[in-house]
Amino acid sequence: MSFTFIDLFAGGGGFSIGATDAGGELLWACNHDPTAVEYHARHFPNAKHALEDVRLVDFCALRREMGRVDLIVAGPSCTGHTKARGKDRPHHKSARSTAWCVLVAAEAVRPKSIIVENVPEFASWALYPAWEDALRRMGYSTRTVVINAADAGVPQSRLRMFVIATKGRVAPNVEQPKRPHVFARSIVRLDDTYKWKPIPDAARIAHPDPRVRPLADNTKRRIEEGRRVHGHTFLTAYYGNESGGRSLDVPLGTVTTRARHAIMRGDEMRMLHPEELRAAMSFPDDFDLPKSKAKAIRLLGNAVPAKLAQYAVGEVMR
């Protein structure tokens, strides 16, 4: 199985990696973030890269330049749809508009198939029926499926929806993957490869080590609950819906664009390192990351888990 594809929101490269592993050849990738384009291009040096807002791309010119394109993959911004963002804000409406770029690209490029990834709440968008109807009016049959990345062999629990659109045939019914779960223990290092720091005692504010600062009350409660349930070695999330700790013997929670997950080891703790989060996103070990931890985590949190993308693309294209 071989096919050509373009990636509209290339980001950290998860969709491109997965589609390539499924047999695809990446022709072109676009992103507005210079860091994302730089590191994506390092992994895909033979593909053409556009550092541009995808809403400004001339897809008709791209079609003339690229020739036949079998597949468009796209992960438009989810910030206007996910519940994690809280109340609606003005920039959410702008983020939602990126989904329309898929339609503009489809009309100009005319691929046989389109795969769009987003949060499940994307289907609850008030304009989603019109967006999906536009695909159908262009001759595409559509189908949606929600998959937990952990079921595709990704060491992370992450629910994502895929919209599948195919031209000239009924969109395939993508079965739920049933791969064995990969646990957090396989990606988290408990040795001294990364630097640990003492956990501030809840009853002690002052500490001779200047690195030790008082923990927020919510963090204290999470650590105490984690110790009660899991003992002295466990994971905890600094924000989100995890009220206590998380065992190392389940997949990691969702990787986000900000440092979120910490590992507790006895009286020491540390945030998960970007290299561990890279493994949690099922990226290859040789995928370069920015030296800045914040940039690396943002790159990974915005990405599609590579093995999840490989499964979805493989199911559609075969």
Side-chain angles (χ1 to χ4, degrees), residues 31-81:
N31 200 269
H32 69 284
D33 180 3
T35 300
V37 172
E38 176 187 353
Y39 284 87
H40 193 283
R42 289 187 187 187
H43 202 76
F44 295 96
N46 296 324
K48 182 174 181 180
H49 286 79
L51 174 56
E52 190 170 7
D53 185 332
V54 73
R55 288 171 288 194
L56 303 178
V57 171
D58 183 346
F59 285 105
C60 291
L62 183 67
R63 164 74 182 188
R64 291 192 295 270
E65 179 183 352
M66 296 286 107
R68 191 193 76 176
V69 175
D70 298 315
L71 170 69
I72 289 176
V73 298
S77 176
C78 67
T79 55
H81 305 285

Side-chain angles (χ1 to χ4, degrees), residues 10-14 16-17 26 29 31 33-47 49 51 274 278 283-284 286-300 303:
S16 294
I17 294 169
L26 176 63
N31 200 269
D33 180 3
T35 300
V37 172
E38 176 187 353
Y39 284 87
H40 193 283
R42 289 187 187 187
H43 202 76
F44 295 96
N46 296 324
H49 286 79
L51 174 56
R278 178 177 62 192
F283 275 43
D286 63 354
F287 190 92
D288 286 342
L289 291 173
K291 291 182 180 179
S292 164
K293 289 184 179 180
K295 288 184 177 180
I297 292 171
R298 179 174 176 79
L299 200 69
L300 293 166

Side-chain angles (χ1 to χ4, degrees), residues 69-148:
V69 175
D70 298 315
L71 170 69
I72 289 176
V73 298
S77 176
C78 67
T79 55
H81 305 285
T82 177
K83 294 177 181 177
R85 297 292 299 184
K87 293 182 179 180
D88 197 22
R89 299 169 190 169
H91 68 274
H92 288 183
K93 295 177 182 178
S94 175
R96 286 172 178 166
S97 72
T98 59
W100 297 108
C101 300
V102 177
L103 305 179
V104 175
E107 184 180 26
V109 177
R110 303 191 297 276
K112 295 178 181 178
S113 301
I114 302 166
I115 305 176
V116 177
E117 179 266 0
N118 213 292
V119 293
E121 292 84 4
F122 180 51
S124 301
W125 178 32
L127 296 179
Y128 178 81
W131 180 87
E132 188 177 30
D133 182 61
L135 283 171
R136 292 172 178 160
R137 288 175 181 270
M138 284 189 278
Y140 289 93
S141 174
T142 63
R143 195 186 296 268
T144 62
V145 59
V146 175
I147 301 175
N148 187 339

